[in-house]
Amino acid sequence: MREIVVSEFVTLDGVMEAPGGEPTHPHTNWVPGYATPEFFEFKYREVVEAGALLLGRTTYESFVGAWPQREGDFAERMTELPKYVATSRPEELTWNARPLVGDVVDAVGGLRKGDGGPLLVNGSATLVRTLLAAGLVDELRLQVFPVVIGGGLRFWPEDRGKVSLHLADVTRYGDVLVQTYRA
């Protein structure tokens, strides 16, 4: 059985939106000033260990607009990984991506039953909310950056039910704290 690993960049106030320079947010680009070479190595290990990416449509579009043009081992791994996308427009997928068919929870449950490495989720706030509510997240990795931006998209819904996790690990990369929780 495959595990689902959610790995998120978040600010101290829980915002996940626009970490890398996206023009849609007034306080974008809050990751580069804090990321160390060791942190980038951690992120590279995540994609090497992953069996596939599991993405929401918005994150997929952001990634497909950025990663195929990049070079290097990290970019090559991002491109070669199979991608499963929660989308209502399946005909528009490229970049080694396939749509999740039918109910998202059922489709992801089916993927979990397959063979291969973990299904890695980055970004994808709506998808993460759905996976957490359905109890499908095996591991949650929060990369907490020491910045407060006051507003923006969060993956924790306001009307959520209780999600119980336990702290499995804490690692520090410079000023970035990686908190790993297990279900």
Side-chain angles (χ1 to χ4, degrees), residues 15-67:
V15 175
M16 63 179 292
E17 183 176 19
E22 298 82 348
T24 58
H25 196 276
H27 302 294
T28 187
N29 208 28
W30 41 268
V31 167
Y34 297 103
T36 64
E38 295 80 14
F39 178 73
F40 287 121
E41 178 60 30
F42 159 73
K43 295 305 291 179
Y44 178 65
R45 280 193 316 271
E46 274 190 334
V47 298
V48 167
E49 293 168 3
L53 295 177
L54 181 57
L55 304 170
R57 182 62 185 226
T58 301
T59 300
Y60 162 78
E61 287 177 355
S62 176
F63 281 15
V64 79
W67 284 106

CSV table of all heavy atoms in Angstrom, one decimal, residues 15-67:
chain,number,residue,atom,x,y,z
A,15,VAL,N,-0.1,30.5,6.2
A,15,VAL,CA,-0.4,30.7,4.8
A,15,VAL,C,0.5,29.9,3.9
A,15,VAL,O,1.7,29.8,4.2
A,15,VAL,CB,-0.2,32.2,4.4
A,15,VAL,CG1,-0.4,32.5,3.0
A,15,VAL,CG2,-1.2,33.1,5.2
A,16,MET,N,-0.1,29.3,2.9
A,16,MET,CA,0.7,28.5,2.0
A,16,MET,C,0.8,29.1,0.6
A,16,MET,O,1.6,28.6,-0.3
A,16,MET,CB,0.1,27.1,1.8
A,16,MET,CG,-1.3,27.1,1.2
A,16,MET,SD,-2.1,25.5,1.0
A,16,MET,CE,-1.1,24.8,-0.2
A,17,GLU,N,0.1,30.2,0.4
A,17,GLU,CA,-0.1,30.8,-1.0
A,17,GLU,C,1.2,31.6,-1.4
A,17,GLU,O,1.7,32.3,-0.6
A,17,GLU,CB,-1.3,31.7,-1.0
A,17,GLU,CG,-1.6,32.3,-2.3
A,17,GLU,CD,-2.9,33.1,-2.2
A,17,GLU,OE1,-3.3,33.5,-1.2
A,17,GLU,OE2,-3.4,33.4,-3.3
A,18,ALA,N,1.6,31.4,-2.6
A,18,ALA,CA,2.6,32.2,-3.3
A,18,ALA,C,4.0,32.2,-2.6
A,18,ALA,O,4.6,33.2,-2.4
A,18,ALA,CB,2.1,33.7,-3.4
A,19,PRO,N,4.5,31.0,-2.3
A,19,PRO,CA,5.8,31.0,-1.7
A,19,PRO,C,7.0,31.3,-2.6
A,19,PRO,O,8.0,31.7,-2.1
A,19,PRO,CB,5.9,29.5,-1.2
A,19,PRO,CG,5.1,28.8,-2.2
A,19,PRO,CD,3.9,29.7,-2.5
A,20,GLY,N,6.8,31.2,-3.9
A,20,GLY,CA,8.0,31.3,-4.8
A,20,GLY,C,7.9,32.3,-5.8
A,20,GLY,O,8.7,32.2,-6.8
A,21,GLY,N,7.1,33.4,-5.7
A,21,GLY,CA,7.2,34.4,-6.7
A,21,GLY,C,5.9,34.6,-7.6
A,21,GLY,O,6.0,35.3,-8.6
A,22,GLU,N,4.9,33.9,-7.2
A,22,GLU,CA,3.6,34.0,-8.0
A,22,GLU,C,3.1,35.4,-7.9
A,22,GLU,O,3.0,36.0,-6.9
A,22,GLU,CB,2.6,33.0,-7.4
A,22,GLU,CG,3.0,31.6,-7.5
A,22,GLU,CD,4.0,31.1,-6.4
A,22,GLU,OE1,4.5,32.0,-5.6
A,22,GLU,OE2,4.2,29.9,-6.2
A,23,PRO,N,2.7,36.0,-9.0
A,23,PRO,CA,2.2,37.4,-9.1
A,23,PRO,C,0.8,37.6,-8.5
A,23,PRO,O,0.4,38.7,-8.5
A,23,PRO,CB,2.3,37.7,-10.6
A,23,PRO,CG,2.0,36.4,-11.2
A,23,PRO,CD,2.7,35.4,-10.4
A,24,THR,N,0.2,36.6,-8.0
A,24,THR,CA,-1.2,36.7,-7.6
A,24,THR,C,-1.4,37.1,-6.1
A,24,THR,O,-2.5,37.3,-5.7
A,24,THR,CB,-1.9,35.3,-7.7
A,24,THR,OG1,-1.2,34.4,-7.0
A,24,THR,CG2,-2.0,34.9,-9.2
A,25,HIS,N,-0.3,37.3,-5.4
A,25,HIS,CA,-0.4,37.6,-4.0
A,25,HIS,C,0.5,38.8,-3.6
A,25,HIS,O,1.6,38.9,-4.1
A,25,HIS,CB,0.0,36.4,-3.2
A,25,HIS,CG,-0.4,36.4,-1.7
A,25,HIS,ND1,0.4,37.1,-0.8
A,25,HIS,CD2,-1.4,36.0,-1.1
A,25,HIS,CE1,-0.2,37.0,0.4
A,25,HIS,NE2,-1.3,36.3,0.2
A,26,PRO,N,0.0,39.7,-2.8
A,26,PRO,CA,0.9,40.9,-2.4
A,26,PRO,C,2.1,40.6,-1.7
A,26,PRO,O,3.1,41.4,-1.7
A,26,PRO,CB,-0.1,41.8,-1.6
A,26,PRO,CG,-1.1,40.8,-1.1
A,26,PRO,CD,-1.3,39.7,-2.1
A,27,HIS,N,2.2,39.5,-1.0
A,27,HIS,CA,3.4,39.1,-0.2
A,27,HIS,C,4.1,37.9,-0.7
A,27,HIS,O,4.4,37.0,0.0
A,27,HIS,CB,3.0,39.0,1.3
A,27,HIS,CG,2.4,40.2,1.8
A,27,HIS,ND1,3.1,41.4,2.0
A,27,HIS,CD2,1.1,40.4,2.3
A,27,HIS,CE1,2.3,42.3,2.5
A,27,HIS,NE2,1.1,41.7,2.7
A,28,THR,N,4.2,37.8,-2.0
A,28,THR,CA,4.8,36.6,-2.7
A,28,THR,C,6.3,36.5,-2.4
A,28,THR,O,6.9,37.4,-2.0
A,28,THR,CB,4.4,36.6,-4.2
A,28,THR,OG1,4.8,35.4,-4.7
A,28,THR,CG2,5.2,37.7,-4.9
A,29,ASN,N,6.8,35.3,-2.7
A,29,ASN,CA,8.2,35.0,-2.8
A,29,ASN,C,8.9,35.0,-1.4
A,29,ASN,O,9.9,35.6,-1.2
A,29,ASN,CB,8.9,36.1,-3.7
A,29,ASN,CG,10.2,35.5,-4.3
A,29,ASN,OD1,10.3,34.3,-4.5
A,29,ASN,ND2,11.1,36.4,-4.6
A,30,TRP,N,8.2,34.4,-0.4
A,30,TRP,CA,8.7,34.3,0.9
A,30,TRP,C,9.6,33.2,1.3
A,30,TRP,O,10.2,33.1,2.4
A,30,TRP,CB,7.6,34.4,1.9
A,30,TRP,CG,6.4,33.6,1.7
A,30,TRP,CD1,5.3,34.0,1.0
A,30,TRP,CD2,6.1,32.3,2.1
A,30,TRP,NE1,4.3,33.0,0.9
A,30,TRP,CE2,4.8,31.9,1.6
A,30,TRP,CE3,6.9,31.3,2.8
A,30,TRP,CZ2,4.3,30.7,1.8
A,30,TRP,CZ3,6.3,30.1,3.0
A,30,TRP,CH2,5.0,29.8,2.5
A,31,VAL,N,9.9,32.3,0.3
A,31,VAL,CA,10.8,31.1,0.6
A,31,VAL,C,12.2,31.4,0.3
A,31,VAL,O,13.1,31.1,1.1
A,31,VAL,CB,10.3,29.9,-0.3
A,31,VAL,CG1,11.4,28.8,-0.3
A,31,VAL,CG2,9.0,29.3,0.3
A,32,PRO,N,12.6,32.0,-0.9
A,32,PRO,CA,14.0,32.1,-1.2
A,32,PRO,C,15.0,32.7,-0.2
A,32,PRO,O,16.1,32.3,-0.1
A,32,PRO,CB,14.0,33.0,-2.5
A,32,PRO,CG,12.7,32.7,-3.1
A,32,PRO,CD,11.7,32.6,-1.9
A,33,GLY,N,14.6,33.7,0.6
A,33,GLY,CA,15.5,34.3,1.6
A,33,GLY,C,15.8,33.4,2.7
A,33,GLY,O,16.8,33.6,3.5
A,34,TYR,N,15.1,32.2,2.9
A,34,TYR,CA,15.4,31.4,4.0
A,34,TYR,C,15.9,30.0,3.7
A,34,TYR,O,16.4,29.3,4.5
A,34,TYR,CB,14.1,31.2,4.8
A,34,TYR,CG,13.6,32.5,5.4
A,34,TYR,CD1,12.5,33.2,4.8
A,34,TYR,CD2,14.2,33.0,6.5
A,34,TYR,CE1,12.1,34.4,5.4
A,34,TYR,CE2,13.7,34.2,7.1
A,34,TYR,CZ,12.7,34.9,6.5
A,34,TYR,OH,12.2,36.1,7.0
A,35,ALA,N,15.7,29.6,2.4
A,35,ALA,CA,16.1,28.2,2.0
A,35,ALA,C,17.6,28.1,1.9
A,35,ALA,O,18.3,28.9,1.3
A,35,ALA,CB,15.4,27.9,0.7
A,36,THR,N,18.1,27.0,2.6
A,36,THR,CA,19.5,26.7,2.6
A,36,THR,C,19.8,25.6,1.6
A,36,THR,O,18.9,24.9,1.2
A,36,THR,CB,20.0,26.3,4.0
A,36,THR,OG1,19.3,25.1,4.3
A,36,THR,CG2,19.7,27.4,5.0
A,37,PRO,N,21.1,25.4,1.3
A,37,PRO,CA,21.4,24.2,0.4
A,37,PRO,C,20.9,22.9,1.1
A,37,PRO,O,20.5,22.0,0.4
A,37,PRO,CB,22.9,24.2,0.3
A,37,PRO,CG,23.3,25.7,0.5
A,37,PRO,CD,22.3,26.2,1.5
A,38,GLU,N,21.0,22.8,2.4
A,38,GLU,CA,20.5,21.5,3.1
A,38,GLU,C,19.0,21.4,2.9
A,38,GLU,O,18.5,20.3,2.8
A,38,GLU,CB,20.9,21.6,4.5
A,38,GLU,CG,22.4,21.5,4.8
A,38,GLU,CD,23.1,22.9,4.6
A,38,GLU,OE1,22.4,23.9,4.5
A,38,GLU,OE2,24.4,22.9,4.5
A,39,PHE,N,18.3,22.5,3.0
A,39,PHE,CA,16.9,22.5,2.8
A,39,PHE,C,16.5,22.0,1.3
A,39,PHE,O,15.7,21.1,1.2
A,39,PHE,CB,16.2,23.8,3.0
A,39,PHE,CG,14.7,23.8,2.8
A,39,PHE,CD1,13.9,23.2,3.7
A,39,PHE,CD2,14.2,24.4,1.7
A,39,PHE,CE1,12.5,23.2,3.5
A,39,PHE,CE2,12.8,24.4,1.5
A,39,PHE,CZ,12.0,23.8,2.4
A,40,PHE,N,17.2,22.5,0.4
A,40,PHE,CA,17.0,22.1,-1.0
A,40,PHE,C,17.3,20.6,-1.2
A,40,PHE,O,16.7,19.9,-2.0
A,40,PHE,CB,17.8,23.0,-2.0
A,40,PHE,CG,17.2,24.3,-2.2
A,40,PHE,CD1,17.9,25.4,-1.9
A,40,PHE,CD2,15.9,24.5,-2.6
A,40,PHE,CE1,17.4,26.7,-2.0
A,40,PHE,CE2,15.3,25.8,-2.7
A,40,PHE,CZ,16.1,26.9,-2.5
A,41,GLU,N,18.3,20.1,-0.5
A,41,GLU,CA,18.7,18.7,-0.5
A,41,GLU,C,17.5,17.9,0.0
A,41,GLU,O,17.1,16.8,-0.5
A,41,GLU,CB,20.0,18.4,0.2
A,41,GLU,CG,20.3,16.9,0.3
A,41,GLU,CD,20.6,16.3,-1.1
A,41,GLU,OE1,21.0,17.0,-2.1
A,41,GLU,OE2,20.3,15.0,-1.2
A,42,PHE,N,16.9,18.3,1.1
A,42,PHE,CA,15.7,17.7,1.7
A,42,PHE,C,14.6,17.6,0.7
A,42,PHE,O,14.0,16.6,0.5
A,42,PHE,CB,15.3,18.4,3.0
A,42,PHE,CG,13.9,18.2,3.4
A,42,PHE,CD1,13.5,17.0,4.0
A,42,PHE,CD2,12.9,19.2,3.2
A,42,PHE,CE1,12.2,16.8,4.3
A,42,PHE,CE2,11.6,19.0,3.6
A,42,PHE,CZ,11.2,17.8,4.1
A,43,LYS,N,14.3,18.7,0.0
A,43,LYS,CA,13.3,18.7,-1.0
A,43,LYS,C,13.6,17.8,-2.2
A,43,LYS,O,12.7,17.1,-2.7
A,43,LYS,CB,13.0,20.2,-1.5
A,43,LYS,CG,12.5,21.1,-0.5
A,43,LYS,CD,11.2,20.6,0.2
A,43,LYS,CE,10.0,20.7,-0.7
A,43,LYS,NZ,8.8,20.2,0.0
A,44,TYR,N,14.8,17.7,-2.6
A,44,TYR,CA,15.2,16.8,-3.6
A,44,TYR,C,15.0,15.4,-3.2
A,44,TYR,O,14.5,14.6,-4.0
A,44,TYR,CB,16.7,17.1,-4.0
A,44,TYR,CG,17.2,16.1,-5.1
A,44,TYR,CD1,16.6,16.2,-6.4
A,44,TYR,CD2,18.2,15.2,-4.8
A,44,TYR,CE1,17.1,15.3,-7.4
A,44,TYR,CE2,18.6,14.3,-5.8
A,44,TYR,CZ,18.1,14.4,-7.1
A,44,TYR,OH,18.5,13.5,-8.0
A,45,ARG,N,15.4,15.0,-2.0
A,45,ARG,CA,15.2,13.7,-1.5
A,45,ARG,C,13.7,13.3,-1.5
A,45,ARG,O,13.4,12.2,-1.8
A,45,ARG,CB,15.7,13.5,-0.1
A,45,ARG,CG,17.2,13.3,0.0
A,45,ARG,CD,17.7,12.9,1.4
A,45,ARG,NE,17.1,13.6,2.5
A,45,ARG,CZ,17.6,14.7,3.1
A,45,ARG,NH1,18.7,15.2,2.6
A,45,ARG,NH2,17.0,15.2,4.1
A,46,GLU,N,12.8,14.3,-1.2
A,46,GLU,CA,11.4,14.0,-1.2
A,46,GLU,C,11.0,13.5,-2.6
A,46,GLU,O,10.2,12.5,-2.7
A,46,GLU,CB,10.6,15.3,-0.9
A,46,GLU,CG,10.3,15.5,0.5
A,46,GLU,CD,9.4,16.7,0.7
A,46,GLU,OE1,9.2,17.5,-0.2
A,46,GLU,OE2,8.7,16.6,1.8
A,47,VAL,N,11.4,14.2,-3.7
A,47,VAL,CA,11.0,13.8,-5.0
A,47,VAL,C,11.7,12.5,-5.5
A,47,VAL,O,11.1,11.8,-6.3
A,47,VAL,CB,11.1,15.0,-6.0
A,47,VAL,CG1,10.2,16.1,-5.7
A,47,VAL,CG2,12.5,15.4,-6.3
A,48,VAL,N,12.9,12.3,-5.0
A,48,VAL,CA,13.5,11.0,-5.4
A,48,VAL,C,12.8,9.9,-4.8
A,48,VAL,O,12.6,8.8,-5.4
A,48,VAL,CB,15.0,11.1,-5.0
A,48,VAL,CG1,15.6,9.7,-5.0
A,48,VAL,CG2,15.8,12.1,-5.8
A,49,GLU,N,12.3,10.0,-3.5
A,49,GLU,CA,11.7,8.9,-2.8
A,49,GLU,C,10.2,8.7,-3.3
A,49,GLU,O,9.6,7.7,-3.1
A,49,GLU,CB,11.7,9.2,-1.3
A,49,GLU,CG,13.1,9.1,-0.7
A,49,GLU,CD,13.2,9.7,0.7
A,49,GLU,OE1,12.1,10.1,1.3
A,49,GLU,OE2,14.3,9.7,1.2
A,50,ALA,N,9.6,9.8,-3.9
A,50,ALA,CA,8.2,9.7,-4.3
A,50,ALA,C,8.0,8.7,-5.5
A,50,ALA,O,8.9,8.6,-6.3
A,50,ALA,CB,7.7,11.1,-4.7
A,51,GLY,N,6.9,8.1,-5.5
A,51,GLY,CA,6.5,7.3,-6.6
A,51,GLY,C,5.7,8.0,-7.7
A,51,GLY,O,5.7,7.7,-8.8
A,52,ALA,N,5.1,9.1,-7.2
A,52,ALA,CA,4.2,9.9,-8.1
A,52,ALA,C,3.9,11.2,-7.4
A,52,ALA,O,4.0,11.3,-6.1
A,52,ALA,CB,3.0,9.2,-8.5
A,53,LEU,N,3.5,12.2,-8.1
A,53,LEU,CA,2.9,13.4,-7.6
A,53,LEU,C,1.4,13.4,-7.6
A,53,LEU,O,0.9,12.9,-8.6
A,53,LEU,CB,3.4,14.7,-8.3
A,53,LEU,CG,4.9,15.0,-8.3
A,53,LEU,CD1,5.2,16.2,-9.1
A,53,LEU,CD2,5.4,15.2,-6.9
A,54,LEU,N,0.8,13.8,-6.6
A,54,LEU,CA,-0.7,13.9,-6.5
A,54,LEU,C,-1.0,15.4,-6.3
A,54,LEU,O,-0.6,16.0,-5.3
A,54,LEU,CB,-1.2,13.1,-5.3
A,54,LEU,CG,-2.7,13.1,-5.1
A,54,LEU,CD1,-3.4,12.5,-6.3
A,54,LEU,CD2,-2.9,12.2,-3.8
A,55,LEU,N,-1.6,16.0,-7.3
A,55,LEU,CA,-1.8,17.5,-7.3
A,55,LEU,C,-3.2,17.9,-7.6
A,55,LEU,O,-3.9,17.3,-8.3
A,55,LEU,CB,-0.9,18.1,-8.5
A,55,LEU,CG,0.6,17.7,-8.4
A,55,LEU,CD1,1.3,18.2,-9.7
A,55,LEU,CD2,1.3,18.4,-7.2
A,56,GLY,N,-3.5,19.1,-7.1
A,56,GLY,CA,-4.8,19.8,-7.5
A,56,GLY,C,-4.5,20.5,-8.8
A,56,GLY,O,-3.3,20.7,-9.2
A,57,ARG,N,-5.5,20.9,-9.5
A,57,ARG,CA,-5.4,21.6,-10.8
A,57,ARG,C,-4.6,22.8,-10.7
A,57,ARG,O,-3.7,23.1,-11.6
A,57,ARG,CB,-6.8,21.8,-11.4
A,57,ARG,CG,-6.8,22.4,-12.8
A,57,ARG,CD,-6.1,21.5,-13.7
A,57,ARG,NE,-6.0,22.1,-15.0
A,57,ARG,CZ,-6.3,21.4,-16.2
A,57,ARG,NH1,-6.8,20.2,-16.1
A,57,ARG,NH2,-6.1,22.0,-17.3
A,58,THR,N,-4.8,23.7,-9.8
A,58,THR,CA,-4.1,25.0,-9.7
A,58,THR,C,-2.6,24.8,-9.5
A,58,THR,O,-1.8,25.4,-10.2
A,58,THR,CB,-4.6,25.9,-8.6
A,58,THR,OG1,-6.0,26.1,-8.9
A,58,THR,CG2,-3.9,27.2,-8.5
A,59,THR,N,-2.2,23.8,-8.6
A,59,THR,CA,-0.8,23.6,-8.4
A,59,THR,C,-0.2,22.9,-9.7
A,59,THR,O,0.9,23.2,-10.1
A,59,THR,CB,-0.6,22.7,-7.2
A,59,THR,OG1,-1.1,23.4,-6.0
A,59,THR,CG2,0.9,22.3,-7.0
A,60,TYR,N,-0.9,22.0,-10.3
A,60,TYR,CA,-0.5,21.4,-11.5
A,60,TYR,C,-0.1,22.4,-12.5
A,60,TYR,O,0.9,22.4,-13.2
A,60,TYR,CB,-1.5,20.4,-12.1
A,60,TYR,CG,-1.3,20.0,-13.5
A,60,TYR,CD1,-0.3,19.1,-13.9
A,60,TYR,CD2,-2.0,20.7,-14.5
A,60,TYR,CE1,-0.1,18.8,-15.2
A,60,TYR,CE2,-1.8,20.4,-15.8
A,60,TYR,CZ,-0.9,19.5,-16.2
A,60,TYR,OH,-0.6,19.2,-17.5
A,61,GLU,N,-1.0,23.4,-12.7
A,61,GLU,CA,-0.8,24.4,-13.7
A,61,GLU,C,0.4,25.3,-13.4
A,61,GLU,O,1.2,25.7,-14.3
A,61,GLU,CB,-2.1,25.3,-13.9
A,61,GLU,CG,-3.2,24.6,-14.6
A,61,GLU,CD,-4.5,25.4,-14.7
A,61,GLU,OE1,-4.6,26.5,-14.2
A,61,GLU,OE2,-5.4,24.9,-15.4
A,62,SER,N,0.6,25.6,-12.1
A,62,SER,CA,1.8,26.3,-11.7
A,62,SER,C,3.0,25.5,-12.0
A,62,SER,O,4.0,26.0,-12.5
A,62,SER,CB,1.7,26.6,-10.2
A,62,SER,OG,2.8,27.3,-9.7
A,63,PHE,N,3.0,24.2,-11.6
A,63,PHE,CA,4.2,23.4,-11.8
A,63,PHE,C,4.5,23.2,-13.3
A,63,PHE,O,5.7,23.3,-13.7
A,63,PHE,CB,4.0,22.0,-11.2
A,63,PHE,CG,4.2,22.0,-9.7
A,63,PHE,CD1,4.3,23.1,-8.9
A,63,PHE,CD2,4.4,20.8,-9.0
A,63,PHE,CE1,4.5,23.1,-7.6
A,63,PHE,CE2,4.6,20.7,-7.7
A,63,PHE,CZ,4.6,21.9,-6.9
A,64,VAL,N,3.5,22.9,-14.1
A,64,VAL,CA,3.7,22.7,-15.6
A,64,VAL,C,4.2,24.0,-16.2
A,64,VAL,O,4.9,23.9,-17.3
A,64,VAL,CB,2.5,22.1,-16.3
A,64,VAL,CG1,1.4,23.1,-16.6
A,64,VAL,CG2,2.9,21.4,-17.5
A,65,GLY,N,3.9,25.1,-15.7
A,65,GLY,CA,4.4,26.4,-16.2
A,65,GLY,C,5.8,26.7,-15.8
A,65,GLY,O,6.5,27.6,-16.3
A,66,ALA,N,6.4,26.0,-14.8
A,66,ALA,CA,7.7,26.3,-14.3
A,66,ALA,C,8.7,25.1,-14.5
A,66,ALA,O,9.8,25.4,-15.0
A,66,ALA,CB,7.6,26.6,-12.8
A,67,TRP,N,8.4,23.9,-14.1
A,67,TRP,CA,9.4,22.8,-14.1
A,67,TRP,C,9.9,22.4,-15.4
A,67,TRP,O,11.1,22.1,-15.6
A,67,TRP,CB,8.8,21.6,-13.3
A,67,TRP,CG,8.9,21.9,-11.8
A,67,TRP,CD1,7.8,22.2,-11.0
A,67,TRP,CD2,10.1,22.0,-11.0
A,67,TRP,NE1,8.3,22.5,-9.7
A,67,TRP,CE2,9.7,22.3,-9.7
A,67,TRP,CE3,11.4,21.8,-11.3
A,67,TRP,CZ2,10.6,22.5,-8.7
A,67,TRP,CZ3,12.3,22.0,-10.2
A,67,TRP,CH2,11.9,22.3,-8.9
